[in-house]
Amino acid sequence: MRGVRYYSMGGTSPLSNVFTTGLILGSSSAAIGVTALMSARLRTHIAVYTGAVLTLTSLAVMAVVSVGGSLAGFLVWCVIGGAGYSCTFTGGLGLINDRAPIEHRGATMSLLYLVVYVLQAGTALGVGAVAA
């Protein structure tokens, strides 16, 4: 998700080289992975609420960084947003696992992935349209 938002903001980004772009996107991936390992121990509702708070915080950081264009700010945004995404997604998977009947679990998981990817595409198109 970070990559979607980052690339859709391309015209306003102060980042101009491949190394820096890789650093930004890699920091988000690292935050997602580390947080997924740590949030697996959280109760599902706590993971979802924590993810929501972190995601909202990252959106505020993104708004500030988009105006200022600080590389350090972009890194902070990617780490906070990656952690939020990971907590929310892990919590959502846990909620499905806890509540969906066994015979419907696969279909429910598929629906979750469909909704997530549709929202991701909508975010990319929406932010890209605003940036243009």
Side-chain angles (χ1 to χ4, degrees):
M1 188 72 152
R2 302 289 114 204
V4 167
R5 288 195 208 132
Y6 170 73
Y7 281 123
S8 65
M9 292 174 17
T12 61
S13 173
L15 310 176
S16 60
N17 67 43
V18 175
F19 173 77
T20 306
T21 301
L23 178 67
I24 292 293
L25 297 176
S27 67
S28 177
S29 296
I32 290 170
V34 169
T35 305
L37 294 173
M38 293 178 1
S39 66
R41 294 182 179 91
L42 292 176
R43 291 190 171 157
T44 54
H45 69 282
I46 293 173
V48 170
Y49 291 138
T50 301
V53 168
L54 288 171
T55 299
L56 291 173
T57 302
S58 79
L59 290 173
V61 171
M62 180 180 68
V64 170
V65 168
S66 294
V67 172
S70 159
L71 176 60
F74 267 104
L75 286 170
V76 169
W77 164 60
C78 283
V79 170
I80 294 172
Y85 176 82
S86 185
C87 281
T88 305
F89 195 77
T90 302
L93 290 176
L95 287 172
I96 289 172
N97 207 26
D98 290 347
R99 292 183 174 70
I102 291 174
E103 62 273 8
H104 297 294
R105 225 174 258 166
T108 308
M109 291 284 193
S110 295
L111 180 63
L112 171 71
Y113 279 100
L114 175 67
V115 169
V116 166
Y117 287 124
V118 166
L119 289 173
Q120 222 172 0
T123 300
L125 293 172
V127 174
V130 168

